[in-house]
Amino acid sequence: MPKDLEAVPPLPASVRELRLEIEEFNTEYIAVLDACRVEEWPRFFTDDAFYIITGRENDDANLRVGLVYCEGIGMMRDRALAIAKSMMFAPRYLQHHVNNVRILSVAGDGTIAAQANYVLYQTLVDEKTTIQQVGRYYDRFVRRDGRLLLKERRCVYDSLIIDTAVIYPV
Amino acid sequence: MPDDLSNSAAALTNHVWPNDDLQLIPDWVYTSQEIYEREVERIFHGRTWNFVALECEIPQPGSFKRSFVGPTPVIVARNNDGSIHVFENRCAHRGAELCRPQVGTTKEFVCPYHQWTYDLTGNLIGVPFRRGLNKEGGMPKDFRPEDHNLLKLSVTTRRGVVFASFAKDMESIEDYLGPAVLEDFDALFDGRKLKLLGYYRNTVPANWKMYHENLKDPYHATLLHAFLVNFGLMVAGNKCGTIVDPSGRHGTLASARPDEKLNVDDDSKKQMRAFKEGMKLEDERFLDYVKEFKSPWTVTMQTIWPNLITQRELNTLGVRHIVPQGPNEFLMIWVMFGYEDDTDEMTRHRLRQGNLMGPSGFLGLEDNEAMKFVQQGMVRSVSDTNYVALGDREEGTTHKIITEAAIRSMYRNYRGVMGL
């Protein structure tokens, strides 16, 4: 069962506006990932952000391990650099499809809790396209200099059995 | 049928080891269905101890885990007296794989199809309408529930690790591992209670033995994993060992990082720097090593035949459970853990360092990709042997890096068991 299912009251117009803003944020985020411009990926986060990709079985049981586990933007930049410059993997194309953005709450300090569903299609250049992951983002956004940034993005995937490897951030 | 039997015997007589030479591994050990079926029979269902669970996964009476011995589904359950039982996950009635959740707690196992019911040790304790309805139908008069328990396996544990075997008269796990492999096993499972941190699951389109071989191969570490060298995890001053048990099946790939990173001599430093080309980690916390083990090694990867890898990579710890899915694919279940007495900061250190391993790990990801390439090469090509001649014909424990001695040891044992 998705978390915080009862949490959302009817949306006032200002929150609708916010949802649109988050959809635009996600669209830009995905554009960077789909272009495999992984070194630009950390710029969507605050310096102290937390990023994790984990299976739903772990999230449900409060088990803290992550397929990717980054405390702070430095660890994200390190991962991005390693993927871009050091790691060995087969060439591929990726497409993320993100939808069902929900605003769960806006805290007094302006922190926005939101979620969205994602599907990640992977096409290895010599294989048919597969669904690599189906999952959900659990996000915390903050506003810095007028712009939204992620303070936390938890990518929780339903597709517990991964085909071979997940190379790029989700 | 006699025809089928003779066909299958003929198929195996066609599998002749090239030149009777362990420097040559024929592709068919990785690709043949007949060989795979014999492996299941003689290795996974034979005289081996197979990993099935960590005790911390089934902490309470009634806790259970769905697991595998080779490809065969089993249930691992903790009985009310605390004892651990392993039995086939297959209803004695119509064969349904009756337990569906990966983990959980229960008083009994009820098959969802006709509700045959089993206790936590696998004994049949209930058959609905056993005596029929209105005195009609039902089981024959001589039906004895105790003749229809779930198929039970032998069980043993060592320091919180649970093993099972289809063999009834297995030697102790200590004798099975041998003293040298047991020493590094005990360094990781050192008596502290384990704390479960979570799971990764992935398939790799490669033969299951390839995973053992990859961790009996110190040669690949600095070549495939440029990350290790680029970011200074594996430096010129590292000591290495490839430890092999007397049977040849099990092994430990070990390395020791110098205490001080600056302990590398100037010449090596220059070479390292040339290799780095401006690559430097912004956040070096995840390369930190907190000394906590009674071992000269900072890294030990153990290959415990036939289905377990233990991982002690600095402070990120886990076991990997190999579940073969035919000759051309295996499922890998990673169970990551720390210790009960870890502080929150230590747990977070292990989680940060966990970025090295798993199917998105800086190292783990590359291993999976490489093994896929090898299987594709073997399946699609005309050439038909692997050439493993590094270190010439030496076998057993060595302290060289550029050797394939441990792979040859594994195949000497394998050929004996498989009759090849």
Side-chain angles (χ1 to χ4, degrees), chain A residues 57-58 63-66 69 71 75 77-79 86-90 92 124 127 160 162 164-166, chain B residues 197-203 205 227 230 282-283 285 344 348 352 355 359-360 365-366 368-369 372:
Chain A
E57 62 183 330
N58 296 325
L63 296 170
R64 294 167 68 183
V65 83
Y69 181 100
E71 287 181 358
M75 292 185 73
R77 290 198 186 117
D78 289 338
R79 181 168 275 272
S86 170
M87 280 157 71
M88 190 291 293
F89 49 86
R92 67 200 63 211
L124 296 169
E127 293 182 26
L160 294 180
I162 290 163
T164 313
V166 174
Chain B
L197 294 179
Y199 298 92
Y200 317 130
R201 299 170 198 268
N202 66 272
T203 52
F227 182 89
N230 286 339
E282 203 168 307
D283 188 336
R285 283 180 300 173
D344 186 61
R348 282 170 52 200
R352 289 191 296 262
N355 282 297
S360 285
L365 168 171
E366 292 180 320
N368 291 2
E369 288 284 288
K372 175 178 177 174

Side-chain angles (χ1 to χ4, degrees), chain B residues 151-186:
Chain B
L151 180 64
K152 298 177 183 185
L153 281 72
S154 307
V155 180
T156 192
T157 63
R158 172 95 190 159
R159 307 275 184 92
V161 187
V162 186
F163 297 89
S165 180
F166 277 96
K168 292 291 173 211
D169 54 347
M170 278 298 291
E171 63 265 35
S172 71
I173 186 69
E174 292 77 13
D175 287 347
Y176 181 71
L177 295 177
V181 165
L182 187 64
E183 185 182 331
D184 289 310
F185 183 91
D186 284 353

Side-chain angles (χ1 to χ4, degrees), chain B residues 338-404:
Chain B
Y339 301 103
E340 282 286 351
D341 59 4
D342 286 344
T343 61
D344 186 61
E345 177 46 36
M346 189 63 186
T347 298
R348 282 170 52 200
H349 172 55
R350 297 194 202 283
L351 296 172
R352 289 191 296 262
Q353 209 155 58
N355 282 297
L356 290 170
M357 292 301 180
S360 285
F362 293 127
L363 312 181
L365 168 171
E366 292 180 320
D367 289 326
N368 291 2
E369 288 284 288
M371 279 178 266
K372 175 178 177 174
F373 299 169
V374 171
Q375 194 76 15
Q376 283 183 333
M378 290 191 294
V379 169
R380 297 180 180 182
S381 58
V382 174
S383 313
D384 58 5
T385 46
N386 283 245
Y387 183 45
V388 289
L390 292 169
D392 201 359
R393 290 193 153 71
E394 70 175 346
E395 291 174 40
T397 297
T398 91
H399 293 274
K400 301 187 192 82
I401 296 181
I402 312 303
T403 183
E404 288 159 338

Side-chain angles (χ1 to χ4, degrees), chain B residues 52 98 100 111 121 128 146 204 299 320 338 389:
Chain B
V52 288
L98 62 113
R100 309 305 303 187
C111 180
T121 72
E146 59 270 35
V204 178
V299 175
R320 307 176 195 167

Side-chain angles (χ1 to χ4, degrees), chain B residues 36-258:
Chain B
Y36 171 73
E37 284 166 13
R38 186 176 281 196
E39 287 172 348
V40 172
E41 176 200 329
R42 295 200 180 179
I43 297 173
F44 294 106
H45 292 179
R47 295 196 55 82
T48 52
W49 280 119
N50 290 261
F51 171 81
V52 288
L54 296 176
E55 287 202 53
C56 65
E57 295 179 273
I58 45 166
Q60 307 295 335
S63 298
F64 68 87
K65 175 193 177 186
R66 208 174 150 186
S67 189
F68 299 90
V69 170
T72 308
V74 298
I75 299 169
V76 186
R78 193 183 285 277
N79 197 13
N80 297 320
D81 64 0
S83 60
I84 296 170
H85 300 262
V86 179
F87 36 87
E88 242 193 332
N89 187 1
R90 179 201 151 104
C91 184
H93 177 214
R94 296 305 305 269
E97 207 171 307
L98 62 113
C99 175
R100 309 305 303 187
Q102 301 287 20
V103 290
T105 308
T106 190
K107 289 188 169 64
E108 59 198 14
F109 297 97
V110 182
C111 180
Y113 195 2
H114 304 93
Q115 298 184 10
W116 283 37
T117 301
Y118 305 89
D119 69 12
L120 294 165
T121 72
N123 288 332
L124 179 62
I125 53 171
V127 174
F129 300 109
R130 177 178 162 187
R131 289 179 180 81
L133 191 59
N134 300 326
K135 298 186 178 168
E136 290 183 317
M139 281 295 186
K141 286 218 159 47
D142 60 355
F143 171 74
R144 289 157 41 93
E146 59 270 35
D147 292 339
H148 301 273
N149 296 330
L150 299 179
L151 180 64
K152 298 177 183 185
L153 281 72
S154 307
V155 180
T156 192
T157 63
R158 172 95 190 159
R159 307 275 184 92
V161 187
V162 186
F163 297 89
S165 180
F166 277 96
K168 292 291 173 211
D169 54 347
M170 278 298 291
E171 63 265 35
S172 71
I173 186 69
E174 292 77 13
D175 287 347
Y176 181 71
L177 295 177
V181 165
L182 187 64
E183 185 182 331
D184 289 310
F185 183 91
D186 284 353
L188 172 58
F189 302 103
D190 59 6
R192 285 182 284 174
K193 253 189 126 183
L194 304 187
K195 180 186 165 73
L196 181 65
L197 294 179
Y199 298 92
Y200 317 130
R201 299 170 198 268
N202 66 272
T203 52
V204 178
N207 185 270
W208 65 276
K209 295 186 294 299
M210 198 62 70
Y211 210 92
H212 285 266
E213 292 173 46
N214 185 58
L215 290 170
K216 292 176 186 291
D217 163 19
Y219 180 51
H220 88 284
T222 56
L223 298 171
L224 173 62
H225 303 309
F227 182 89
L228 284 173
V229 182
N230 286 339
F231 295 115
L233 234 77
M234 192 114 177
V235 295
N238 279 21
K239 270 187 283 189
C240 286
T242 312
I243 294 147
V244 177
D245 84 303
S247 78
R249 317 171 264 199
H250 318 299
T252 307
L253 190 66
S255 71
R257 195 170 76 178

